[in-house]
Amino acid sequence: MNRITRTLHTLTMASTLAAGACAPTGAAPAPADGPAPGASAPAAWEWHTFTGPVGTRRYRLYVPAGYDASRPAPLVVMLHGCTQDPDDFARGTRFNEHAQRAGALVAYPEQLAEHNPQKCWTWFDRAHQAADAGEPALIAGITREVMASHAVDPSRVYIGGVSAGGAMAVNTAAAYPQLFAAVGVHSGIPWRAAGDVATALGVMRNGPARDAALTDSARALLRASGRESIPMIVFHGAADVVVVPENGRRLASQWAVAAGARDFLRGDSTEGGLGYTRDRYGPLAELWMVEGLGHAWSGGSAEGTYTDARGPDASREMMRFFLEHTRP
């Protein structure tokens, strides 16, 4: 492990353990609720391997019980965080359960230690922030492979992730704005807030610099792609000491302001023993700031790592937000 990677790992793990956010990994349960009554096929949870011009990655694919190849389904691509893997991430988020209810497929690309010693997606490297190169190209390739091998509605393809995976989800959606209808980010970073490790560490600890560059870059991308917006839902723990909450606030506003959002509504509530504030920028963006939550998936399962059973169910709300949007 080199000095840079060791620094990132030490910061992430020490802060998370101090916040009590890391839960032990348990035995893998069934992939979802099980076959629905009268379903024509059981749920599937299988490994696949994608190989493209920029490399090879494995991915887990969840196909819901009752999947019907004659009826195109939504597809969600979910990116795990550092030290995690697709099985751990699926267990902790219970995302497959929500996919079962929605009749959606879910692909979980895998980042191995051979690519990053802590299995982090390389969101902070400029080589992984654009199309046709690096990890965004691999993830887009996996997405297209699933679309080619299964009946997928091309207007209902979504991407989400947590922490480094959340930041890479934004990178990938920005690199391929004609592929994804909406984005979901938990504990993430604004798009292109960092281009190297030193800046990444500063952003994680202190939040991004307060300037207009973040919004300007998002606005320019939308203009160049011909899209009016990239709808985004953001969850963040108000007690996160690994990726400070200002990152979530700036990420949501970055894309809402870039898209010209004019309607703003704030509401406060409590769920799962934790209070939260929900900011809505019309239909374009939502920010859920959860009080007392550290660097952990809100409303998650203790059978996965970096989860907290308290708070609103981030997986439920991400799936709800996704299905409210179709790609133009």
Side-chain angles (χ1 to χ4, degrees), residues 4-5 8-9 12 47-48 50 54-60 77-90 107-129 133-143 159-173 180 184-189 194-197 200-201 204 243 295 297:
I4 289 173
T5 302
L8 279 170
H9 175 58
T12 302
W47 281 106
H48 298 267
F50 168 78
V54 298
T56 297
R57 286 294 189 282
R58 295 198 312 166
Y59 62 96
R60 274 282 206 181
V77 180
M78 293 292 284
L79 304 178
H80 63 77
C82 299
T83 76
Q84 294 180 318
D85 58 36
D87 290 294
D88 178 14
F89 190 39
Y108 298 83
E110 179 184 43
Q111 181 79 318
L112 291 174
E114 65 188 77
H115 306 119
N116 179 285
Q118 298 306 315
K119 299 189 289 186
C120 304
W121 298 98
T122 319
W123 60 272
F124 50 83
D125 188 332
R126 294 295 187 204
H128 300 280
Q129 295 180 354
E135 292 163 6
L138 284 165
I139 295 163
I142 289 170
T143 304
I159 188 166
V162 64
S163 195
M168 183 52 67
V170 179
N171 286 3
T172 305
F180 299 100
V185 182
H186 203 308
S187 312
I189 308 282
D196 54 55
V197 171
L201 287 171
M204 289 168 63
V243 179
H295 197 64
W297 190 273

Side-chain angles (χ1 to χ4, degrees), residues 12-253:
T12 302
M13 296 304 293
S15 300
T16 303
L17 290 172
C22 188
T25 301
D33 295 332
S40 58
W45 180 235
E46 299 175 341
W47 281 106
H48 298 267
T49 300
F50 168 78
T51 299
V54 298
T56 297
R57 286 294 189 282
R58 295 198 312 166
Y59 62 96
R60 274 282 206 181
L61 180 64
Y62 176 74
V63 180
Y67 164 75
D68 183 349
S70 68
R71 300 173 61 186
L75 168 63
V76 182
V77 180
M78 293 292 284
L79 304 178
H80 63 77
C82 299
T83 76
Q84 294 180 318
D85 58 36
D87 290 294
D88 178 14
F89 190 39
R91 287 195 300 268
T93 60
R94 293 193 294 257
F95 208 85
N96 291 349
E97 297 178 18
H98 295 281
Q100 176 63 51
R101 298 184 187 103
L105 287 76
V106 190
Y108 298 83
E110 179 184 43
Q111 181 79 318
L112 291 174
E114 65 188 77
H115 306 119
N116 179 285
Q118 298 306 315
K119 299 189 289 186
C120 304
W121 298 98
T122 319
W123 60 272
F124 50 83
D125 188 332
R126 294 295 187 204
H128 300 280
Q129 295 180 354
D132 303 323
E135 292 163 6
L138 284 165
I139 295 163
I142 289 170
T143 304
R144 290 173 174 144
E145 181 170 277
V146 176
M147 294 173 71
S149 62
H150 292 75
V152 171
D153 181 347
S155 71
R156 295 188 294 164
V157 178
Y158 312 98
I159 188 166
V162 64
S163 195
M168 183 52 67
V170 179
N171 286 3
T172 305
Y176 298 93
Q178 301 306 326
L179 186 57
F180 299 100
V183 186
V185 182
H186 203 308
S187 312
I189 308 282
W191 182 55
R192 291 191 171 177
D196 54 55
V197 171
T199 306
L201 287 171
V203 170
M204 289 168 63
R205 291 184 181 122
N206 306 308
R210 290 189 170 276
D211 56 41
L214 293 178
T215 300
D216 289 345
S217 61
R219 185 181 291 114
L221 182 139
L222 292 175
R223 185 165 53 246
S225 68
R227 286 194 65 169
E228 294 183 357
S229 69
I230 297 179
M232 188 172 299
I233 182 169
V234 177
F235 268 78
H236 216 107
D240 193 337
V241 296
V242 177
V243 179
V244 297
E246 183 62 17
N247 285 290
R249 297 186 186 100
R250 292 295 301 282
L251 173 61
S253 65

